[in-house]
Amino acid sequence: MKHLDQMMKQMQNKMQDAQNKIEQTEIHGASGGGMVQVTLMGKGDMRALKIDKSLVDPQEVEVLEDLVIAAVNDARNKLDQYTAEEMGKVTQGLPLPGGLKLPF
């Protein structure tokens, strides 16, 4: 049983290390051919938003809004993928049930 406790402790440490790494990571998303760019931190907090000046037109506000949403969604999808990859490194080889997402 002591061996299992050690394995669990190591797993917890690796999970915490992976979570810390993810939290410190910046993920970039873009839309409109890069005219709108978003930076998210690993917890999903938006750190930066850049909008090309050519998009700032009072007559086209809806287009700009759509591009911002698309850029945020792009960054969020990349963040989700990155998180899954990093957590997959920790759980690789473990017999976990299908569909189980870590961290819990």
Side-chain angles (χ1 to χ4, degrees), residues 33-94:
M35 295 178 82
V36 175
Q37 299 177 15
V38 171
T39 302
L40 297 181
M41 294 303 295
K43 283 189 169 184
D45 300 329
M46 189 183 303
R47 182 177 188 141
L49 170 65
K50 294 188 180 203
I51 300 171
D52 188 281
K53 291 178 182 171
S54 68
L55 291 175
V56 182
D57 180 353
Q59 303 300 320
E60 298 293 329
V61 172
E62 293 83 12
V63 172
L64 181 55
E65 291 169 343
D66 289 343
L67 288 171
V68 170
I69 291 169
V72 170
N73 288 338
D74 180 48
R76 187 70 200 173
N77 289 335
K78 289 177 182 176
L79 176 58
D80 289 345
Q81 181 179 358
Y82 177 76
T83 299
E85 289 171 4
E86 288 300 312
M87 287 302 176
K89 291 176 187 176
V90 173
T91 61
Q92 190 173 26
L94 291 177

Side-chain angles (χ1 to χ4, degrees), residues 2-62:
K2 190 173 186 176
H3 182 65
L4 181 59
D5 288 341
Q6 288 175 339
M7 270 185 19
M8 291 301 292
K9 183 69 172 168
Q10 286 178 340
M11 175 69 140
Q12 288 174 338
N13 289 339
K14 286 181 180 181
M15 290 279 293
Q16 186 61 50
D17 290 345
Q19 288 174 336
N20 291 340
K21 180 181 177 183
I22 290 166
E23 287 177 15
Q24 298 301 314
T25 300
E26 289 185 355
I27 302 292
H28 306 281
S31 67
M35 295 178 82
V36 175
Q37 299 177 15
V38 171
T39 302
L40 297 181
M41 294 303 295
K43 283 189 169 184
D45 300 329
M46 189 183 303
R47 182 177 188 141
L49 170 65
K50 294 188 180 203
I51 300 171
D52 188 281
K53 291 178 182 171
S54 68
L55 291 175
V56 182
D57 180 353
Q59 303 300 320
E60 298 293 329
V61 172
E62 293 83 12

